[in-house]
Amino acid sequence: MQFNLLFTAFILVSTTLVSPTFIDSVKAKALVASEIKMTNKEGHHGDSEHSHGMRDIPHGQPVPRVDLIVHPDEKIGWNLEIRLENFRFAPERVNIDSSTVEGHAHLFVNGQKVTRLYSNWYYLPELPSGRNEIKVSLNTNQHEMLMHDGKEIAATAIINVP
């Protein structure tokens, strides 16, 4: 399916606690034309230089969910939108009490941690040519990776840049 974009296209990637699934691909034409293919991915941390503990969501407690929406920027780059359920960003409590309902997200590009996220939007100015994996994972205030039934709570997008 192809779309000529006048403003912004968006794709929704949501977490599920199942194996990776490829969803539709979309050709997006912005200043930098790119193909965006979305997938859900869980269970892979991908950050070899960064290691914190894991925190499993107890049974009976609402399970946090993260959705990643990629909006190609009208000029260049991508605007990442993070939607949350059963979780809130709490930058004022970083490094304090650990909770499964609040904390921050980690942004990874091609398996390398780029930054912490404390809000629902992030501008990604550029990516190298080729296949790029963008992942957002949920973490407690103590930086523990949130898990449910042994799987990481995260959303992943694949962006192919010409």
Side-chain angles (χ1 to χ4, degrees), residues 97-137:
D97 297 332
S98 188
S99 168
T100 59
V101 297
E102 69 177 19
H104 59 276
H106 288 172
L107 173 64
F108 298 88
V109 175
N110 298 323
Q112 298 297 312
K113 184 177 172 193
V114 173
T115 191
R116 291 181 198 163
L117 300 174
Y118 290 112
S119 69
N120 298 86
W121 288 90
Y122 183 80
Y123 173 67
L124 191 60
E126 60 184 285
L127 290 167
S129 294
R131 181 184 187 277
N132 293 277
E133 181 180 285
I134 312 302
K135 181 175 91 170
V136 175
S137 66

Side-chain angles (χ1 to χ4, degrees), residues 8-11 66-74 77-84 89 105 107 115-125 136:
T8 308
F10 70 91
I11 309 287
V66 59
D67 293 328
L68 172 61
I69 303 168
V70 177
H71 302 270
D73 190 84
E74 188 175 323
W78 296 266
N79 295 298
L80 307 180
E81 180 182 359
I82 314 321
R83 292 187 184 170
L84 304 171
F89 289 120
L107 173 64
T115 191
R116 291 181 198 163
L117 300 174
Y118 290 112
S119 69
N120 298 86
W121 288 90
Y122 183 80
Y123 173 67
L124 191 60
V136 175

Side-chain angles (χ1 to χ4, degrees), residues 21-60:
T21 304
F22 284 95
I23 301 173
D24 296 329
S25 66
V26 174
K27 292 262 185 193
K29 291 182 181 177
L31 186 59
V32 176
S34 64
E35 180 178 304
I36 303 172
K37 187 178 275 187
M38 310 313 283
T39 181
N40 295 336
K41 184 173 183 180
E42 300 193 26
H44 172 69
H45 192 258
D47 184 6
S48 59
E49 300 173 17
H50 191 78
S51 180
H52 292 294
M54 294 178 265
R55 178 95 182 251
D56 203 46
I57 306 301
H59 289 284

Side-chain angles (χ1 to χ4, degrees), residues 88-96 102 118 141:
R88 74 174 192 89
F89 289 120
E92 72 283 1
R93 297 180 48 80
V94 69
N95 301 321
I96 303 178
E102 69 177 19
Y118 290 112
N141 293 322

